[in-house]
Amino acid sequence: MTIEKVSIIVSKGSLDGIYPGLIMANGARAEGIEANLFFTFFGLDAITKKRQGHVKVATVGNPGLHLPTWAGAIPGASWAMTRYFERKMAALDIPPIPEFVRMIADTGAGIYACKATVDLFGLEKNDFVPEMNDILTVGEFYSLAAGGEIVFT
Amino acid sequence: MTIEKVSIIVSKGSLDGIYPGLIMANGARAEGIEANLFFTFFGLDAITKKRQGHVKVATVGNPGLHLPTWAGAIPGASWAMTRYFERKMAALDIPPIPEFVRMIADTGAGIYACKATVDLFGLEKNDFVPEMNDILTVGEFYSLAAGGEIVFT
Amino acid sequence: MTIEKVSIIVSKGSLDGIYPGLIMANGARAEGIEANLFFTFFGLDAITKKRQGHVKVATVGNPGLHLPTWAGAIPGASWAMTRYFERKMAALDIPPIPEFVRMIADTGAGIYACKATVDLFGLEKNDFVPEMNDILTVGEFYSLAAGGEIVFT
């Protein structure tokens, strides 16, 4: 038995919130599994022209980083941690978000934006990177996801 | 092939943590898909009488908001951002949490609380809004979810 | 119809981020459901020798705790809240993370670490607790998860 399709929802707007979904989509394509990425809420940042290149690590409220709150809150902490992560990821051949989204789209994965959030944030099609295939309602997402696994990240 | 059932777990206690699960449940019912909502950990706030009307946006540790940490931490920031989101959502006909939970229950979706968390927080049946159908163990949740998709939000 | 297998991904490094996955895995085994835990990103803390015993509650950026940001940020707040949760959980017979992971492994559940994150954090097999069965790529994870539900926590 094998997995035939994964539909991955990306809902968070931090680097550590976006990468897991991208890595899972990319890994699925590498195995020949159909993959769709559906960006919603703050996850939309990963596919808007304006914000795609400026996603940061969450340095407060993330005890996994082992930083005291005051350290995570000083100006520049999030920036420094973000650069640190990006360098570490580059060393593992994991590209920055804009290149990674392009690479995943090139493998044939679908890249979608959630209609409710697009309306909530007052965005339109032109605000998105060209890899974005379509803006879908929740109902359209369910149709697309049928026959596979739904993964909410 | 179609999805027949979704079992959505709501585990976070912020506005941006609770809405995605509610929107997915509501969207499922609109497509005729069976939907169950299972509230656990801080997600329980969405269905307790005392807290349902007081859920806030997380303004720190959420780089997706594009607020500096100091701004997210000033008293009132979370309240102001919450009001802002609620106004934007109302304009899209997405109701506040109490009305939304009632509306979803009215579509025939199941509304459940996680027994382990109910015990952890020292709550009892009477602390919940009347839409809450039952308090379920993890094992009972798996029985309910069989034959569908599990979505953890 | 019953669920035959659950593959639970644990991606967060806070107490409130790790427990839901452990509780779902343990609950699955109690019902005779095959269960695999896959630790990734900050979730790896739950199975490293050095950090397994030092996981804390996220006290900032978590409006579900109903603490003002300044209170969550004072030194010791996270420590105090963590002790409070651990005492409440002990009263419900939910063990601390190290014992809980051991107990779940003893039920026959698989305990896996995500290769990309292991490389990212510069870890090696010897850094993990003995319950960790193997380090898996995303592709290997999908093979393992086939025929069951994927739950990302």
Side-chain angles (χ1 to χ4, degrees), chain B residues 32-116:
Chain B
I33 299 169
E34 183 182 339
N36 293 303
L37 278 161
F38 186 74
F39 295 88
T40 186
F41 275 75
F42 305 118
L44 275 191
D45 286 1
I47 54 168
T48 59
K49 286 177 196 163
K50 201 172 152 192
R51 294 182 162 176
Q52 190 184 47
H54 306 284
V55 172
K56 292 195 185 64
V57 173
T59 50
V60 281
N62 182 354
L65 276 183
H66 305 275
L67 277 180
T69 297
W70 61 263
I74 55 175
S78 185
W79 183 88
M81 191 57 88
T82 301
R83 286 298 153 278
Y84 170 80
F85 263 88
E86 286 178 344
R87 271 201 314 273
K88 298 281 265 181
M89 287 188 150
L92 297 174
D93 284 324
I94 301 177
I97 290 177
E99 286 80 348
F100 207 11
V101 168
R102 215 172 303 137
M103 197 176 112
I104 293 168
D106 284 347
T107 67
I111 310 281
Y112 301 99
C114 160
K115 182 157 182 9

Side-chain angles (χ1 to χ4, degrees), chain C:
Chain C
M1 188 171 277
T2 54
I3 291 175
E4 303 202 351
K5 193 199 288 192
V6 289
S7 296
I8 299 165
I9 301 168
V10 178
S11 70
K12 292 179 195 66
S14 59
L15 205 76
D16 41 311
I18 292 170
Y19 265 108
L22 300 187
I23 290 171
M24 288 189 75
N26 189 57
R29 291 305 301 136
E31 300 297 310
I33 299 170
E34 183 182 338
N36 292 304
L37 278 161
F38 186 74
F39 295 87
T40 186
F41 275 74
F42 305 118
L44 274 190
D45 285 2
I47 55 167
T48 60
K49 285 176 195 164
K50 203 171 151 192
R51 293 181 163 177
Q52 190 185 48
H54 306 284
V55 172
K56 292 193 184 68
V57 172
T59 49
V60 280
N62 182 355
L65 276 183
H66 306 274
L67 277 180
T69 298
W70 61 264
I74 55 175
S78 184
W79 183 88
M81 191 57 89
T82 302
R83 285 298 153 280
Y84 170 80
F85 262 89
E86 285 178 345
R87 271 201 314 274
K88 298 280 266 183
M89 288 188 149
L92 299 174
D93 283 325
I94 301 178
I97 290 177
E99 286 79 348
F100 206 11
V101 168
R102 214 171 304 138
M103 197 176 113
I104 293 168
D106 284 347
T107 67
I111 310 281
Y112 300 99
C114 160
K115 182 159 182 5
T117 321
V118 169
D119 291 348
L120 183 67
F121 293 164
L123 299 169
E124 47 188 69
K125 191 142 198 193
N126 191 44
D127 295 314
F128 290 91
V129 297
E131 289 78 23
M132 198 273 282
N133 297 105
D134 209 353
I135 298 171
L136 301 184
T137 65
V138 177
E140 290 167 332
F141 167 76
Y142 282 127
S143 300
L144 191 77
E149 302 264 358
I150 296 177
V151 180
F152 186 99
T153 67

Side-chain angles (χ1 to χ4, degrees), chain A residues 8-81:
Chain A
I8 298 166
I9 301 168
V10 178
S11 69
K12 293 180 193 67
S14 59
L15 205 77
D16 42 310
I18 291 170
Y19 265 108
L22 300 186
I23 290 171
M24 288 189 76
N26 188 56
R29 292 304 302 135
E31 301 296 309
I33 299 169
E34 182 181 339
N36 292 304
L37 278 161
F38 185 74
F39 295 88
T40 186
F41 274 75
F42 305 118
L44 275 190
D45 285 2
I47 55 167
T48 60
K49 286 177 196 162
K50 201 170 151 190
R51 295 183 161 176
Q52 190 185 47
H54 306 284
V55 172
K56 292 196 184 65
V57 172
T59 49
V60 282
N62 182 354
L65 275 183
H66 306 276
L67 278 180
T69 298
W70 62 262
I74 55 176
S78 184
W79 183 88
M81 191 57 88

